[in-house]
Amino acid sequence: MYKKILAAVDGSEYGTAVLDTVASLAKLSGASVHVIHIRPDQVVAGGITAGVVVSTEEADESRTLVNEAVDRLRSEGITAEGEVDEGLREELAAILVERAEALGSDLIAVGPGHYRGISAFLHASVSSGVAKHAPVSVLLVRGQA
């Protein structure tokens, strides 16, 4: 089955569902879990080449999110580690795929996009991008959100 799972968390209810599902899978298969959270940056005023890039999240919040996820998995007897990365919103799927490849992951677990209305039009779905480009299996976890 699976040996290395990359679990993307974002602090939403979907991220919690990802963690719940990955914990169950890891227990069944004996897989290790690498938790990742990508602090999304946003370009404001002027575009990518001339604009200002700002983070939409505090670094401490991101680190706490990952640490809590890793602690929870370890408390359940699962080998786990975690990281916080940064990237432009438009690059989040590519970053997840690159990290999965670098880590040797054989499964990427993500929640569904949760943009609504005009935001769904303006922001590409991270989960769709991961599914389209990942060289390994992708698990889309819907949960109860």
Side-chain angles (χ1 to χ4, degrees):
M1 203 168 192
Y2 301 111
K3 293 182 177 155
K4 284 188 170 186
I5 302 171
L6 180 65
V9 296
D10 64 0
S12 71
E13 292 180 37
Y14 293 117
T16 301
V18 165
L19 204 58
D20 292 343
T21 301
V22 164
S24 295
L25 279 174
K27 286 178 191 175
L28 288 172
S29 65
S32 63
V33 178
H34 189 92
V35 177
I36 186 169
H37 175 69
I38 304 170
R39 290 179 55 213
D41 293 335
Q42 187 69 46
V43 176
V44 293
I48 292 175
T49 57
V52 175
V53 177
V54 296
S55 182
T56 59
E57 228 174 64
E58 293 295 323
D60 290 346
E61 292 175 46
S62 301
R63 177 50 50 202
T64 298
L65 174 67
V66 170
N67 288 345
E68 288 176 354
V70 168
D71 289 346
R72 176 193 160 190
L73 292 169
R74 287 178 179 167
S75 74
E76 295 182 39
I78 299 164
T79 301
E81 57 187 27
E83 70 180 85
V84 175
D85 286 347
E86 293 184 25
L88 293 174
R89 286 192 185 279
E90 297 79 15
E91 299 171 347
L92 299 183
I95 293 168
L96 287 172
V97 170
E98 288 170 10
R99 290 304 297 142
E101 290 174 328
L103 293 164
S105 300
D106 49 10
L107 177 68
I108 303 170
V110 295
H114 43 273
Y115 293 116
R116 301 285 183 260
I118 191 71
S119 291
F121 178 73
L122 295 174
H123 298 287
S125 167
V126 174
S127 54
S128 294
V130 171
K132 183 176 180 179
H133 298 288
V136 298
S137 296
V138 176
L139 176 61
L140 178 64
V141 181
R142 289 213 173 267
Q144 300 299 316

PDB file of all heavy atoms in Angstrom, residues 36-64:
ATOM      1  N   ILE A  36       2.404  19.212   5.294  1.00  0.00           N
ATOM      2  CA  ILE A  36       2.876  20.442   4.680  1.00  0.00           C
ATOM      3  C   ILE A  36       1.772  21.490   4.702  1.00  0.00           C
ATOM      4  O   ILE A  36       0.604  21.188   4.515  1.00  0.00           O
ATOM      5  CB  ILE A  36       3.374  20.207   3.233  1.00  0.00           C
ATOM      6  CG1 ILE A  36       4.016  21.476   2.653  1.00  0.00           C
ATOM      7  CG2 ILE A  36       2.251  19.686   2.354  1.00  0.00           C
ATOM      8  CD1 ILE A  36       4.749  21.248   1.340  1.00  0.00           C
ATOM      9  N   HIS A  37       2.195  22.701   4.988  1.00  0.00           N
ATOM     10  CA  HIS A  37       1.307  23.854   4.869  1.00  0.00           C
ATOM     11  C   HIS A  37       2.073  24.905   4.081  1.00  0.00           C
ATOM     12  O   HIS A  37       3.234  25.172   4.375  1.00  0.00           O
ATOM     13  CB  HIS A  37       0.917  24.414   6.235  1.00  0.00           C
ATOM     14  CG  HIS A  37       0.114  25.668   6.135  1.00  0.00           C
ATOM     15  ND1 HIS A  37      -1.178  25.686   5.658  1.00  0.00           N
ATOM     16  CD2 HIS A  37       0.431  26.962   6.410  1.00  0.00           C
ATOM     17  CE1 HIS A  37      -1.627  26.937   5.662  1.00  0.00           C
ATOM     18  NE2 HIS A  37      -0.657  27.720   6.108  1.00  0.00           N
ATOM     19  N   ILE A  38       1.427  25.446   3.080  1.00  0.00           N
ATOM     20  CA  ILE A  38       2.063  26.479   2.272  1.00  0.00           C
ATOM     21  C   ILE A  38       1.396  27.807   2.586  1.00  0.00           C
ATOM     22  O   ILE A  38       0.196  27.968   2.384  1.00  0.00           O
ATOM     23  CB  ILE A  38       1.964  26.169   0.776  1.00  0.00           C
ATOM     24  CG1 ILE A  38       2.566  24.787   0.490  1.00  0.00           C
ATOM     25  CG2 ILE A  38       2.690  27.253  -0.030  1.00  0.00           C
ATOM     26  CD1 ILE A  38       2.305  24.287  -0.908  1.00  0.00           C
ATOM     27  N   ARG A  39       2.201  28.726   3.128  1.00  0.00           N
ATOM     28  CA  ARG A  39       1.696  30.072   3.404  1.00  0.00           C
ATOM     29  C   ARG A  39       1.487  30.768   2.065  1.00  0.00           C
ATOM     30  O   ARG A  39       2.447  31.032   1.353  1.00  0.00           O
ATOM     31  CB  ARG A  39       2.694  30.867   4.234  1.00  0.00           C
ATOM     32  CG  ARG A  39       2.825  30.387   5.649  1.00  0.00           C
ATOM     33  CD  ARG A  39       3.828  31.182   6.445  1.00  0.00           C
ATOM     34  NE  ARG A  39       3.527  32.609   6.404  1.00  0.00           N
ATOM     35  CZ  ARG A  39       4.459  33.557   6.436  1.00  0.00           C
ATOM     36  NH1 ARG A  39       5.737  33.253   6.485  1.00  0.00           N
ATOM     37  NH2 ARG A  39       4.107  34.811   6.422  1.00  0.00           N
ATOM     38  N   PRO A  40       0.255  31.055   1.737  1.00  0.00           N
ATOM     39  CA  PRO A  40       0.014  31.658   0.426  1.00  0.00           C
ATOM     40  C   PRO A  40       0.380  33.141   0.386  1.00  0.00           C
ATOM     41  O   PRO A  40      -0.026  33.914   1.234  1.00  0.00           O
ATOM     42  CB  PRO A  40      -1.488  31.467   0.223  1.00  0.00           C
ATOM     43  CG  PRO A  40      -2.053  31.366   1.590  1.00  0.00           C
ATOM     44  CD  PRO A  40      -0.972  30.784   2.459  1.00  0.00           C
ATOM     45  N   ASP A  41       1.205  33.482  -0.587  1.00  0.00           N
ATOM     46  CA  ASP A  41       1.554  34.875  -0.835  1.00  0.00           C
ATOM     47  C   ASP A  41       0.634  35.412  -1.914  1.00  0.00           C
ATOM     48  O   ASP A  41       0.151  34.671  -2.769  1.00  0.00           O
ATOM     49  CB  ASP A  41       3.006  35.003  -1.303  1.00  0.00           C
ATOM     50  CG  ASP A  41       4.005  34.625  -0.224  1.00  0.00           C
ATOM     51  OD1 ASP A  41       3.668  34.727   0.963  1.00  0.00           O
ATOM     52  OD2 ASP A  41       5.127  34.224  -0.580  1.00  0.00           O
ATOM     53  N   GLN A  42       0.435  36.699  -1.885  1.00  0.00           N
ATOM     54  CA  GLN A  42      -0.435  37.350  -2.861  1.00  0.00           C
ATOM     55  C   GLN A  42       0.305  38.543  -3.450  1.00  0.00           C
ATOM     56  O   GLN A  42       0.929  39.310  -2.722  1.00  0.00           O
ATOM     57  CB  GLN A  42      -1.731  37.830  -2.181  1.00  0.00           C
ATOM     58  CG  GLN A  42      -2.766  38.364  -3.110  1.00  0.00           C
ATOM     59  CD  GLN A  42      -3.379  37.281  -3.981  1.00  0.00           C
ATOM     60  OE1 GLN A  42      -3.744  36.220  -3.502  1.00  0.00           O
ATOM     61  NE2 GLN A  42      -3.465  37.542  -5.260  1.00  0.00           N
ATOM     62  N   VAL A  43       0.236  38.680  -4.761  1.00  0.00           N
ATOM     63  CA  VAL A  43       0.811  39.856  -5.420  1.00  0.00           C
ATOM     64  C   VAL A  43      -0.229  40.959  -5.375  1.00  0.00           C
ATOM     65  O   VAL A  43      -1.380  40.751  -5.739  1.00  0.00           O
ATOM     66  CB  VAL A  43       1.184  39.551  -6.888  1.00  0.00           C
ATOM     67  CG1 VAL A  43       1.697  40.812  -7.578  1.00  0.00           C
ATOM     68  CG2 VAL A  43       2.213  38.451  -6.961  1.00  0.00           C
ATOM     69  N   VAL A  44       0.189  42.106  -4.878  1.00  0.00           N
ATOM     70  CA  VAL A  44      -0.710  43.261  -4.852  1.00  0.00           C
ATOM     71  C   VAL A  44      -0.054  44.419  -5.588  1.00  0.00           C
ATOM     72  O   VAL A  44       1.153  44.581  -5.557  1.00  0.00           O
ATOM     73  CB  VAL A  44      -1.074  43.688  -3.409  1.00  0.00           C
ATOM     74  CG1 VAL A  44      -1.906  42.617  -2.728  1.00  0.00           C
ATOM     75  CG2 VAL A  44       0.153  43.992  -2.585  1.00  0.00           C
ATOM     76  N   ALA A  45      -0.822  45.182  -6.265  1.00  0.00           N
ATOM     77  CA  ALA A  45      -0.374  46.409  -6.923  1.00  0.00           C
ATOM     78  C   ALA A  45       0.778  46.209  -7.884  1.00  0.00           C
ATOM     79  O   ALA A  45       1.934  46.227  -7.509  1.00  0.00           O
ATOM     80  CB  ALA A  45       0.007  47.469  -5.886  1.00  0.00           C
ATOM     81  N   GLY A  46       0.467  45.968  -9.137  1.00  0.00           N
ATOM     82  CA  GLY A  46       1.495  46.026 -10.153  1.00  0.00           C
ATOM     83  C   GLY A  46       1.862  44.738 -10.849  1.00  0.00           C
ATOM     84  O   GLY A  46       2.643  44.755 -11.778  1.00  0.00           O
ATOM     85  N   GLY A  47       1.354  43.618 -10.470  1.00  0.00           N
ATOM     86  CA  GLY A  47       1.693  42.381 -11.158  1.00  0.00           C
ATOM     87  C   GLY A  47       2.956  41.738 -10.622  1.00  0.00           C
ATOM     88  O   GLY A  47       3.680  42.306  -9.818  1.00  0.00           O
ATOM     89  N   ILE A  48       3.232  40.548 -11.104  1.00  0.00           N
ATOM     90  CA  ILE A  48       4.329  39.736 -10.572  1.00  0.00           C
ATOM     91  C   ILE A  48       5.686  40.406 -10.754  1.00  0.00           C
ATOM     92  O   ILE A  48       6.528  40.363  -9.877  1.00  0.00           O
ATOM     93  CB  ILE A  48       4.314  38.333 -11.218  1.00  0.00           C
ATOM     94  CG1 ILE A  48       3.078  37.583 -10.749  1.00  0.00           C
ATOM     95  CG2 ILE A  48       5.574  37.556 -10.875  1.00  0.00           C
ATOM     96  CD1 ILE A  48       2.875  36.249 -11.377  1.00  0.00           C
ATOM     97  N   THR A  49       5.940  41.046 -11.892  1.00  0.00           N
ATOM     98  CA  THR A  49       7.269  41.608 -12.126  1.00  0.00           C
ATOM     99  C   THR A  49       7.489  42.931 -11.421  1.00  0.00           C
ATOM    100  O   THR A  49       8.604  43.267 -11.056  1.00  0.00           O
ATOM    101  CB  THR A  49       7.542  41.782 -13.633  1.00  0.00           C
ATOM    102  OG1 THR A  49       6.526  42.615 -14.193  1.00  0.00           O
ATOM    103  CG2 THR A  49       7.570  40.441 -14.332  1.00  0.00           C
ATOM    104  N   ALA A  50       6.415  43.698 -11.214  1.00  0.00           N
ATOM    105  CA  ALA A  50       6.590  45.016 -10.593  1.00  0.00           C
ATOM    106  C   ALA A  50       5.777  45.177  -9.324  1.00  0.00           C
ATOM    107  O   ALA A  50       5.757  46.249  -8.739  1.00  0.00           O
ATOM    108  CB  ALA A  50       6.195  46.109 -11.587  1.00  0.00           C
ATOM    109  N   GLY A  51       5.112  44.125  -8.897  1.00  0.00           N
ATOM    110  CA  GLY A  51       4.217  44.237  -7.763  1.00  0.00           C
ATOM    111  C   GLY A  51       4.885  43.977  -6.432  1.00  0.00           C
ATOM    112  O   GLY A  51       6.065  43.660  -6.342  1.00  0.00           O
ATOM    113  N   VAL A  52       4.102  44.122  -5.407  1.00  0.00           N
ATOM    114  CA  VAL A  52       4.535  43.846  -4.046  1.00  0.00           C
ATOM    115  C   VAL A  52       3.910  42.515  -3.635  1.00  0.00           C
ATOM    116  O   VAL A  52       2.718  42.304  -3.806  1.00  0.00           O
ATOM    117  CB  VAL A  52       4.072  44.975  -3.096  1.00  0.00           C
ATOM    118  CG1 VAL A  52       4.414  44.631  -1.663  1.00  0.00           C
ATOM    119  CG2 VAL A  52       4.670  46.294  -3.517  1.00  0.00           C
ATOM    120  N   VAL A  53       4.729  41.613  -3.100  1.00  0.00           N
ATOM    121  CA  VAL A  53       4.240  40.313  -2.663  1.00  0.00           C
ATOM    122  C   VAL A  53       4.075  40.358  -1.154  1.00  0.00           C
ATOM    123  O   VAL A  53       5.001  40.716  -0.430  1.00  0.00           O
ATOM    124  CB  VAL A  53       5.219  39.187  -3.062  1.00  0.00           C
ATOM    125  CG1 VAL A  53       4.745  37.845  -2.530  1.00  0.00           C
ATOM    126  CG2 VAL A  53       5.400  39.146  -4.567  1.00  0.00           C
ATOM    127  N   VAL A  54       2.881  39.991  -0.694  1.00  0.00           N
ATOM    128  CA  VAL A  54       2.618  39.975   0.741  1.00  0.00           C
ATOM    129  C   VAL A  54       2.093  38.602   1.140  1.00  0.00           C
ATOM    130  O   VAL A  54       1.384  37.951   0.385  1.00  0.00           O
ATOM    131  CB  VAL A  54       1.590  41.064   1.158  1.00  0.00           C
ATOM    132  CG1 VAL A  54       2.125  42.441   0.897  1.00  0.00           C
ATOM    133  CG2 VAL A  54       0.263  40.868   0.459  1.00  0.00           C
ATOM    134  N   SER A  55       2.478  38.188   2.330  1.00  0.00           N
ATOM    135  CA  SER A  55       1.965  36.936   2.861  1.00  0.00           C
ATOM    136  C   SER A  55       0.591  37.204   3.464  1.00  0.00           C
ATOM    137  O   SER A  55       0.365  38.233   4.091  1.00  0.00           O
ATOM    138  CB  SER A  55       2.897  36.374   3.932  1.00  0.00           C
ATOM    139  OG  SER A  55       2.380  35.147   4.391  1.00  0.00           O
ATOM    140  N   THR A  56      -0.310  36.268   3.264  1.00  0.00           N
ATOM    141  CA  THR A  56      -1.664  36.433   3.786  1.00  0.00           C
ATOM    142  C   THR A  56      -1.843  35.758   5.140  1.00  0.00           C
ATOM    143  O   THR A  56      -2.952  35.662   5.636  1.00  0.00           O
ATOM    144  CB  THR A  56      -2.690  35.868   2.781  1.00  0.00           C
ATOM    145  OG1 THR A  56      -2.403  34.482   2.551  1.00  0.00           O
ATOM    146  CG2 THR A  56      -2.625  36.624   1.466  1.00  0.00           C
ATOM    147  N   GLU A  57      -0.732  35.304   5.723  1.00  0.00           N
ATOM    148  CA  GLU A  57      -0.779  34.575   6.974  1.00  0.00           C
ATOM    149  C   GLU A  57       0.460  34.882   7.804  1.00  0.00           C
ATOM    150  O   GLU A  57       1.527  35.110   7.250  1.00  0.00           O
ATOM    151  CB  GLU A  57      -0.733  33.082   6.619  1.00  0.00           C
ATOM    152  CG  GLU A  57      -1.711  32.212   7.263  1.00  0.00           C
ATOM    153  CD  GLU A  57      -1.610  30.817   6.674  1.00  0.00           C
ATOM    154  OE1 GLU A  57      -0.576  30.165   6.827  1.00  0.00           O
ATOM    155  OE2 GLU A  57      -2.588  30.405   6.044  1.00  0.00           O
ATOM    156  N   GLU A  58       0.320  34.838   9.097  1.00  0.00           N
ATOM    157  CA  GLU A  58       1.467  35.018   9.994  1.00  0.00           C
ATOM    158  C   GLU A  58       2.275  33.724  10.065  1.00  0.00           C
ATOM    159  O   GLU A  58       1.712  32.633  10.109  1.00  0.00           O
ATOM    160  CB  GLU A  58       0.996  35.399  11.397  1.00  0.00           C
ATOM    161  CG  GLU A  58       0.332  36.765  11.483  1.00  0.00           C
ATOM    162  CD  GLU A  58       1.297  37.896  11.163  1.00  0.00           C
ATOM    163  OE1 GLU A  58       2.488  37.806  11.535  1.00  0.00           O
ATOM    164  OE2 GLU A  58       0.855  38.864  10.520  1.00  0.00           O
ATOM    165  N   ALA A  59       3.594  33.842  10.092  1.00  0.00           N
ATOM    166  CA  ALA A  59       4.471  32.673  10.139  1.00  0.00           C
ATOM    167  C   ALA A  59       4.212  31.817  11.375  1.00  0.00           C
ATOM    168  O   ALA A  59       4.228  30.580  11.303  1.00  0.00           O
ATOM    169  CB  ALA A  59       5.931  33.115  10.096  1.00  0.00           C
ATOM    170  N   ASP A  60       3.960  32.457  12.515  1.00  0.00           N
ATOM    171  CA  ASP A  60       3.704  31.712  13.749  1.00  0.00           C
ATOM    172  C   ASP A  60       2.445  30.857  13.640  1.00  0.00           C
ATOM    173  O   ASP A  60       2.405  29.729  14.126  1.00  0.00           O
ATOM    174  CB  ASP A  60       3.582  32.661  14.945  1.00  0.00           C
ATOM    175  CG  ASP A  60       4.906  33.309  15.319  1.00  0.00           C
ATOM    176  OD1 ASP A  60       5.963  32.832  14.845  1.00  0.00           O
ATOM    177  OD2 ASP A  60       4.891  34.299  16.073  1.00  0.00           O
ATOM    178  N   GLU A  61       1.407  31.399  13.004  1.00  0.00           N
ATOM    179  CA  GLU A  61       0.165  30.643  12.818  1.00  0.00           C
ATOM    180  C   GLU A  61       0.415  29.399  11.976  1.00  0.00           C
ATOM    181  O   GLU A  61      -0.085  28.319  12.279  1.00  0.00           O
ATOM    182  CB  GLU A  61      -0.887  31.501  12.111  1.00  0.00           C
ATOM    183  CG  GLU A  61      -1.420  32.659  12.908  1.00  0.00           C
ATOM    184  CD  GLU A  61      -2.357  33.510  12.061  1.00  0.00           C
ATOM    185  OE1 GLU A  61      -3.225  32.936  11.363  1.00  0.00           O
ATOM    186  OE2 GLU A  61      -2.213  34.737  12.087  1.00  0.00           O
ATOM    187  N   SER A  62       1.188  29.575  10.914  1.00  0.00           N
ATOM    188  CA  SER A  62       1.490  28.464  10.013  1.00  0.00           C
ATOM    189  C   SER A  62       2.270  27.384  10.729  1.00  0.00           C
ATOM    190  O   SER A  62       1.970  26.193  10.613  1.00  0.00           O
ATOM    191  CB  SER A  62       2.291  28.967   8.818  1.00  0.00           C
ATOM    192  OG  SER A  62       1.577  29.955   8.128  1.00  0.00           O
ATOM    193  N   ARG A  63       3.294  27.768  11.470  1.00  0.00           N
ATOM    194  CA  ARG A  63       4.127  26.816  12.188  1.00  0.00           C
ATOM    195  C   ARG A  63       3.301  26.075  13.237  1.00  0.00           C
ATOM    196  O   ARG A  63       3.422  24.859  13.402  1.00  0.00           O
ATOM    197  CB  ARG A  63       5.317  27.534  12.828  1.00  0.00           C
ATOM    198  CG  ARG A  63       6.234  26.706  13.672  1.00  0.00           C
ATOM    199  CD  ARG A  63       6.761  25.416  13.099  1.00  0.00           C
ATOM    200  NE  ARG A  63       7.345  25.491  11.783  1.00  0.00           N
ATOM    201  CZ  ARG A  63       7.466  24.429  10.981  1.00  0.00           C
ATOM    202  NH1 ARG A  63       7.060  23.232  11.367  1.00  0.00           N
ATOM    203  NH2 ARG A  63       8.002  24.536   9.795  1.00  0.00           N
ATOM    204  N   THR A  64       2.434  26.778  13.950  1.00  0.00           N
ATOM    205  CA  THR A  64       1.577  26.154  14.956  1.00  0.00           C
ATOM    206  C   THR A  64       0.653  25.126  14.316  1.00  0.00           C
ATOM    207  O   THR A  64       0.471  24.020  14.847  1.00  0.00           O
ATOM    208  CB  THR A  64       0.756  27.226  15.711  1.00  0.00           C
ATOM    209  OG1 THR A  64       1.663  28.095  16.388  1.00  0.00           O
ATOM    210  CG2 THR A  64      -0.198  26.596  16.702  1.00  0.00           C
TER     211      THR A  64
END
